[in-house]
Amino acid sequence: MSLPPDGHVHTEWSWDTVTGSMTGSCERALELGLPSVAFTEHADLTPWLIPAPVRPLLPDHFRVRLRPDGVLEPPDLDVAGYLACVEECRARFPSLRILSGVELSEPHWHRPRADALLAAHDFDHVLGSVHSLPGDDGHHHEVTVVSDPPAEVLRAYLTEVLGLVESTADFAVLAHIDYALRSWPGEGPPFVAADFEAEFRTVLRALASSGRALEVNTKVPLPGEVVRWWFEVGGDAVAFGSDAHEPGLVGHGFAEAAAMVEAGGFRPGRTPHDFWRR
Ligand SMILES: [Zn+2]
Ligand SMILES: [Zn+2]
């Protein structure tokens, strides 16, 4: 079976990506035989507080974005420069289907900015993401299960993702529903999907009725149960995304992910670059 398209790749046009390369990512996609690749650069709309002990440890390209109060303010995406680069790659790699895209961070909190960005540009592929949560101190915080009990962070994350999915924010694919699992501690009780079945199903049901697609993000392996629940609640479409921030990770883990999604009841779409369907 051929590999699915990679619908979630970052390049040098994402502010947090120093190892990115659009050209290199196209070459890697061709090498792997991927039918298409979508460059979904960050439009990070929410500034978030970096805890004081972490600030000196930040890489330079993060530290230069720090305000004096310790809040990290991501820069705007240079859409014109980015889209020009997409055009260059399309000309250079005509056998690869290259989609333009954007990953909107918490667009439901920033409707005027998110709506204006999408109105001004014709992106092929729009992801909706949650990366941060509101804290008690009036700031937003990166989603991490390091400081708080992991189960609590995951539940808070899924509650916010539900808010995103239930909103009318304009995006076609829910990115990384399992984002909070990336920092699940190696020590202590392991993650058990069944413990969070009700919370996942609530999000998945809302996603299905919104008509949007579920992304299987391969940065960490998505528990197969989530895809099965997506099928059971009537979910229609599955997108695959490596979330690569360097060319070597384009299509990472896709063979395993495709097998898992197929076991969950989904099949490749009518064309190789389509979403997978039930
Ligand atoms: Zn993301
Ligand atoms: Zn991403």
Side-chain angles (χ1 to χ4, degrees):
M1 190 186 353
S2 62
L3 293 173
D6 194 336
H8 189 156
V9 175
H10 298 276
T11 73
E12 68 271 34
W13 294 95
S14 285
W15 71 273
D16 69 336
T17 306
V18 284
T19 47
S21 159
M22 195 182 287
T23 305
S25 300
C26 290
E27 285 166 348
R28 181 65 184 148
L30 284 169
E31 202 176 281
L32 291 170
L34 298 187
S36 80
V37 64
F39 295 115
T40 50
E41 311 298 352
H42 286 294
D44 283 340
L45 306 173
T46 309
W48 71 95
L49 183 71
I50 306 289
V54 177
R55 286 172 209 159
L57 309 174
L58 288 176
D60 289 344
H61 61 292
F62 277 65
R63 207 158 348 140
V64 295
R65 308 289 175 197
L66 272 186
R67 301 194 314 222
D69 61 356
V71 169
L72 193 149
E73 186 138 15
D76 286 344
L77 172 63
D78 171 7
V79 184
Y82 156 71
L83 289 175
C85 193
V86 168
E87 284 310 322
E88 278 168 36
C89 281
R90 283 176 175 157
R92 187 162 162 187
F93 305 102
S95 61
L96 181 65
R97 192 164 187 273
I98 301 173
L99 303 185
S100 66
V102 68
E103 178 178 12
L104 299 173
S105 202
E106 300 90 22
H108 59 313
W109 296 343
H110 309 279
R111 285 302 297 276
R113 277 174 75 196
D115 292 352
L117 181 68
L118 297 186
H121 308 282
D122 196 13
F123 295 108
D124 299 317
H125 199 66
V126 180
L127 307 179
S129 293
V130 173
H131 296 119
S132 64
L133 296 173
D136 303 330
D137 55 2
H139 289 293
H140 290 90
H141 296 260
E142 201 179 2
V143 174
T144 160
V145 293
V146 173
S147 50
D148 293 313
E152 249 172 61
V153 177
L154 177 55
R155 290 202 169 91
Y157 182 74
L158 291 174
T159 300
E160 195 55 60
V161 170
L162 181 63
L164 168 66
V165 167
E166 285 183 332
S167 79
T168 55
D170 191 3
F171 64 98
V173 179
L174 173 66
H176 49 56
I177 193 172
D178 58 343
Y179 188 73
L181 296 182
R182 292 182 184 180
S183 49
W184 193 278
E187 321 81 54
F191 167 74
V192 177
D195 294 347
F196 304 91
E197 179 170 350
E199 290 86 349
F200 272 108
R201 278 184 181 273
T202 301
V203 173
L204 294 170
R205 265 193 302 272
L207 187 66
S209 53
S210 79
R212 300 185 184 102
L214 177 73
E215 177 190 78
V216 171
N217 189 297
T218 59
K219 196 139 188 168
V220 297
L222 179 70
E225 289 94 329
V226 175
V227 173
R228 277 214 315 276
W229 297 333
W230 177 233
F231 185 86
E232 286 172 14
V233 303
D236 179 47
V238 172
F240 293 80
S242 65
D243 215 346
H245 285 64
E246 56 183 282
L249 291 175
V250 170
H252 165 78
F254 270 31
E256 298 80 357
M260 184 269 284
V261 170
E262 190 169 31
F266 294 88
R267 300 284 175 273
R270 233 170 293 143
T271 64
H273 43 259
D274 194 5
F275 293 145
W276 282 32
R277 303 282 175 178
R278 56 188 299 122

